[in-house]
Amino acid sequence: MSVKIITEIASSHNGDPKIVDYLTRKHISSKSHYLKYQIFKSSNLINRKDKNFKKFKTIEINYDIWKSLINKYKKKTNLILEAFDQESYYFCRKFKKDVDLKISTSEIDNFEIIEDALKNFKGKIFLNVSGYDFSFIKKIINNYFNNKTKKKLIILYGYQGFPSKPKDLRLRLFDYFKNQKITYGYSDHSHFGFSEDFLSLMPYVLEKKISYFEKHICKKIGKSTPDYISSLNTKDFIKFVKIISKYNELKISTNLKNSNAEKKYSKIMHKFAFAKRNIESNETLNKNDIIFL
């Protein structure tokens, strides 16, 4: 099964559309399969009295700018718009023929949005179930996944723990998704860069037969950049895409017999009998006359 990569810009743009544009161009050159923009309105997402409201307002990009960026790139790459509130969802719906949709965990219990998206969006709909208990996840699957929608709906799991630790992830959920015969993917939020957590998790989640691998990207790793804590910088992200591409292209033999290449190796590495001296025809051999080299 081929794994598709989702480039997650998240809020690493720090509210600067020029950085969104820069990261979009880097995404396109990386040959990652999908690019995701997060769309939100701070006043619909967080209480104005909350200490984090001003920070969210700083990184908010207005709809007009998003509209310009979406129209600029919707024909150049596969775009996913992630709506974090109902108003933002209806903004995303304006592009329903040209983009795919991700419904954030902040709105996944808003069944009105899920049902509206199934009616209106032409492409794929990604559902982020992170943070919800198993009974709710089963409810989502039972309510919305059927023979008509299974090709359209994708479950994504993996939450932002700033960063997330492997021991806190419920990766056994992928076994359940597989048994339900639905399409699913992993959203990685492990420690930034090619960290030990990221490198040790990668083969494990690939073994779980995921169809999508979502990973954060940022221009430069640093504390001044929102969401840097679980990101790859652009250079490392390009390497990551190449690694997954190699994984997709791997051809693993299921044959128990030696391949021609391994037969050649055996001739080089295995030992064979050589005589220590000239031995005449019909002469009785002594083991001391033989050496294995």
Side-chain angles (χ1 to χ4, degrees):
M1 185 189 301
S2 178
V3 178
K4 294 180 174 60
I5 299 169
I6 300 172
T7 308
E8 167 68 279
I9 291 179
S11 296
S12 67
H13 51 70
N14 210 11
D16 186 346
K18 290 180 181 177
I19 295 178
V20 178
D21 194 79
Y22 170 84
L23 291 173
T24 300
R25 285 184 277 110
K26 286 293 182 181
H27 151 79
I28 292 170
S29 66
S30 77
K31 293 184 170 51
S32 169
H33 304 89
Y34 290 85
L35 173 67
K36 184 157 72 65
Y37 291 152
Q38 289 186 351
I39 316 290
F40 65 86
K41 192 86 174 281
S42 301
S43 56
N44 296 330
L45 190 62
I46 191 166
N47 193 304
R48 289 178 181 273
K49 295 180 180 179
D50 190 286
K51 63 180 182 180
N52 290 311
F53 180 78
K54 286 184 179 179
K55 183 171 70 174
F56 272 78
K57 196 65 182 170
T58 300
I59 61 176
E60 179 185 316
I61 293 175
N62 70 52
Y63 293 149
D64 286 339
I65 293 173
W66 278 129
K67 181 180 178 181
S68 176
L69 286 163
I70 293 164
N71 285 330
K72 182 178 179 179
Y73 288 112
K74 66 185 181 183
K75 301 295 184 184
K76 297 178 181 178
T77 188
N78 296 311
L79 271 181
I80 302 171
L81 303 184
E82 181 175 14
F84 277 77
D85 59 87
Q86 189 151 333
E87 183 183 337
S88 296
Y89 164 73
Y90 285 111
F91 166 76
C92 295
R93 199 178 74 171
K94 294 176 181 178
F95 307 94
K96 60 188 178 183
K97 294 180 180 179
D98 301 306
V99 304
D100 295 320
L101 177 75
K102 181 179 176 182
I103 302 176
S104 169
T105 189
S106 62
E107 288 291 345
I108 202 67
D109 56 355
N110 187 338
F111 299 147
E112 180 184 326
I113 284 181
I114 297 176
E115 289 161 10
D116 189 86
L118 283 169
K119 290 176 184 175
N120 285 285
F121 274 81
K122 184 180 178 181
K124 295 177 177 61
I125 300 169
F126 297 82
L127 304 178
N128 180 3
V129 298
S130 305
Y132 286 96
D133 62 31
F134 186 47
S135 62
F136 180 84
I137 293 171
K138 287 198 291 184
K139 183 178 179 180
I140 287 287
I141 291 170
N142 291 336
N143 284 359
Y144 296 109
F145 284 77
N146 54 53
N147 291 334
K148 289 183 178 179
T149 63
K150 273 188 177 181
K151 290 183 178 180
K152 191 169 189 171
L153 288 174
I154 296 107
I155 288 274
L156 288 179
Y157 172 74
Y159 69 95
Q160 175 66 290
F162 301 100
S164 300
K165 298 178 181 178
K167 68 181 180 65
D168 295 325
L169 292 166
R170 293 177 292 163
L171 298 182
R172 278 194 63 196
L173 281 171
F174 295 138
D175 299 328
Y176 174 73
F177 300 152
K178 183 181 178 182
N179 288 336
Q180 295 299 305
K181 297 181 180 178
I182 62 178
T183 307
Y184 54 93
Y186 170 61
S187 301
D188 183 80
H189 297 93
S190 53
H191 195 273
F192 64 80
F194 283 122
S195 63
E196 289 181 5
D197 282 352
F198 176 58
L199 292 175
S200 59
L201 276 168
M202 194 190 303
Y204 185 83
V205 296
L206 290 173
E207 206 173 79
K208 293 293 182 180
K209 304 301 180 186
I210 60 170
S211 294
Y212 295 88
F213 198 134
E214 184 178 79
K215 185 60 186 171
H216 281 235
I217 183 175
C218 69
K219 186 175 182 180
K220 187 178 181 181
I221 300 291
K223 291 184 180 179
S224 62
T225 307
D227 291 326
Y228 85 94
I229 196 68
S230 56
S231 296
L232 294 174
N233 63 35
T234 53
K235 186 177 179 182
D236 285 342
F237 184 79
I238 290 168
K239 286 182 185 176
F240 165 64
V241 174
K242 287 181 179 178
I243 290 167
I244 299 298
S245 295
K246 288 289 184 183
Y247 170 81
N248 287 337
E249 293 167 4
L250 277 178
K251 288 181 170 53
I252 306 298
S253 173
T254 57
N255 200 336
L256 293 176
K257 295 181 179 179
N258 286 9
S259 65
N260 289 333
E262 195 169 351
K263 287 175 183 176
K264 186 177 179 181
Y265 165 85
S266 72
K267 289 179 180 179
I268 297 169
M269 295 302 295
H270 294 171
K271 289 184 176 181
F272 301 90
F274 288 82
K276 290 182 179 179
R277 61 180 179 81
N278 289 330
I279 298 171
E280 300 296 329
S281 178
N282 297 321
E283 182 181 348
T284 301
L285 285 176
N286 185 302
K287 75 173 185 177
N288 292 328
D289 294 329
I290 304 296
I291 186 172
F292 282 85
L293 302 170

